[in-house]
Amino acid sequence: MRATGRLLVAAAAVLALAGCTQVPTPAPTVTPTVIADKTSPPEPVVPVVWPLTGVEGDVRVRPAVAVKIENTAAARPQTGLEHADVVWENIVEFGVSRFVAVYHSNLPAEIGPIRSIRPVDAKIASPLRGLLAFSGGQSGIVDYLKGTPLQLLSEDAGSSGFYRVSRRPAPHNVYGSLETFLRQADGAHSGSPAPEFAFASREGRASAELSGTDASAIRLSLAPGVAPRWSWDAGSGRWLRSEASGAALSSSGARLSAVNVVVLEVVSYDSGYDAQLGEPVPDMRLEGTGDGLLATGGKTIPVTWSKETRNSPVVLTTADGETATLAAGNVWVELVPLPDGSYAVE
């Protein structure tokens, strides 16, 4: 009986302990509520820039105006060249150079002296599909230019905006008003030009700045006695132009300068037109491809230029086949006539 009693007491103790033990209750599982972000990421801010310079600003919709500007000693200093977006220099008959100055972002009150057109002007200005202002030109050359996408403004044809000044003798005294030229743009020539060159998206990222060779100057020999020089000026961050006679200045006293200088080697040939005394008028093969040089930021880099048709822009590529980029700012283009013209980098 005592043994049975002890078993009963032990069993009672076990039951008592079991009754005092609490089984833990598992914590509830909470699933977080995730609200999807349905908003789109912000669009990148793309600055609005003038198409011919890549410079940010209050960009206006208006055509570019290409103007034929004289560059003899009798024509210097010219008026308004320092405000051009792009200036093209080429050799005409008698071994003198002339400019095609292109205005779009800046409109100086007066430009000149304005002179006559040449066949190469069609290849230079046609990609702009805007206005071409000139004073004079052989009828055959004028007819050729009429077949381009340009609207011609001619002093001889009575277009408005041309006038003669008394401070210079003829024929170096024809000047013009860009505002008056622009008011004559017809519906087919009222839009802004497409970019002519590619510009770097950020400062210091132009092709020559990234992988070019340091240079202090570029010397050109375009014809006997025509030897412009571009010198790098670190203080202003620009290339400064000199003629054979010295510093090239505007009539305002400003030094002619450029953020970018583009040198294109082009074949020169007889256009078939004759000037005074039977002097042949040269033309330049500005279609196809050729070698060149791009100068930006105190550095130069070799480039290859290509132009598919008369109406196509010039495309610059680097040795690795990439599109060459320029720094935002104005551009001077030097057409070096082959086989006699040359240039050298210092």
Side-chain angles (χ1 to χ4, degrees):
M1 289 292 294
R2 284 193 293 267
T4 302
R6 287 196 293 270
L7 289 173
L8 291 173
V9 171
V14 169
L15 290 173
L17 288 174
C20 295
T21 302
Q22 296 182 357
V23 178
T25 303
T29 300
V30 178
T31 303
T33 302
V34 179
I35 300 175
D37 184 1
K38 297 182 179 180
T39 61
S40 301
E43 292 290 332
V45 178
V46 179
V48 179
V49 300
W50 290 95
L52 301 185
T53 63
V55 174
E56 293 185 43
D58 182 15
V59 178
R60 309 292 181 85
V61 176
R62 61 188 178 211
V65 186
V67 187
K68 194 68 177 186
I69 303 292
E70 186 180 359
N71 189 38
T72 62
R76 303 185 199 120
Q78 297 94 339
T79 298
L81 274 179
E82 73 271 36
H83 298 292
D85 287 351
V86 187
V87 179
W88 298 70
E89 182 172 21
N90 66 278
I91 295 297
V92 297
E93 64 275 8
F94 299 108
V96 299
S97 79
R98 283 195 182 169
F99 301 133
V100 175
V102 181
Y103 298 89
H104 186 237
S105 65
N106 296 304
L107 302 177
E110 183 176 70
I111 52 172
I114 302 174
R115 292 300 298 271
S116 55
I117 53 173
R118 297 294 182 273
V120 70
D121 300 336
K123 303 163 191 175
I124 292 172
S126 287
L128 300 168
R129 301 177 183 273
L131 311 179
L132 175 62
F134 59 95
S135 174
Q138 295 186 37
S139 60
I141 299 176
V142 174
D143 289 341
Y144 170 57
L145 266 294
K146 287 179 179 178
T148 69
L150 298 164
Q151 180 181 345
L152 305 187
L153 302 179
S154 167
E155 184 209 15
D156 293 2
S159 299
S160 300
F162 297 92
Y163 54 89
R164 292 184 180 266
V165 300
S166 59
R167 62 183 181 268
R168 281 193 164 153
H172 319 290
N173 62 345
V174 179
Y175 285 69
S177 164
L178 290 168
E179 291 282 4
T180 306
F181 292 160
L182 284 167
R183 285 197 291 269
Q184 298 169 80
D186 61 30
H189 300 89
S190 297
S192 293
E196 287 195 285
F197 299 103
F199 292 93
S201 58
R202 288 181 291 164
E203 186 176 351
R205 304 294 294 177
S207 294
E209 293 174 301
L210 290 176
S211 56
T213 302
D214 290 340
S216 60
I218 306 167
R219 290 185 178 273
L220 299 113
S221 176
L222 304 182
V226 182
R229 183 176 188 267
W230 292 94
S231 303
W232 173 245
D233 179 54
S236 64
R238 303 178 69 88
W239 298 92
L240 306 182
R241 180 180 171 89
S242 298
E243 302 286 354
S245 57
L249 303 175
S250 169
S251 61
S252 67
R255 183 74 178 269
L256 298 182
S257 63
V259 173
N260 307 279
V261 177
V262 177
V263 180
L264 306 181
E265 299 178 21
V266 293
V267 174
S268 179
Y269 63 96
D270 186 346
S271 69
Y273 296 98
D274 291 337
Q276 301 94 325
L277 306 176
E279 180 74 9
V281 175
D283 198 353
M284 294 185 172
R285 191 159 289 120
L286 195 55
E287 292 135 322
T289 187
D291 295 328
L293 184 80
L294 172 58
T296 307
K299 296 184 177 183
T300 63
I301 186 172
V303 293
T304 298
W305 67 264
S306 60
K307 192 175 191 296
E308 291 185 2
T309 67
R310 179 193 64 188
N311 301 340
S312 304
V314 169
V315 177
L316 305 178
T317 54
T318 58
D320 57 5
E322 296 295 322
T323 300
T325 56
L326 284 63
N330 69 323
V331 185
W332 276 66
V333 184
E334 301 284 359
L335 299 183
V336 178
L338 300 179
D340 299 325
S342 63
Y343 63 93
V345 179
E346 298 178 352

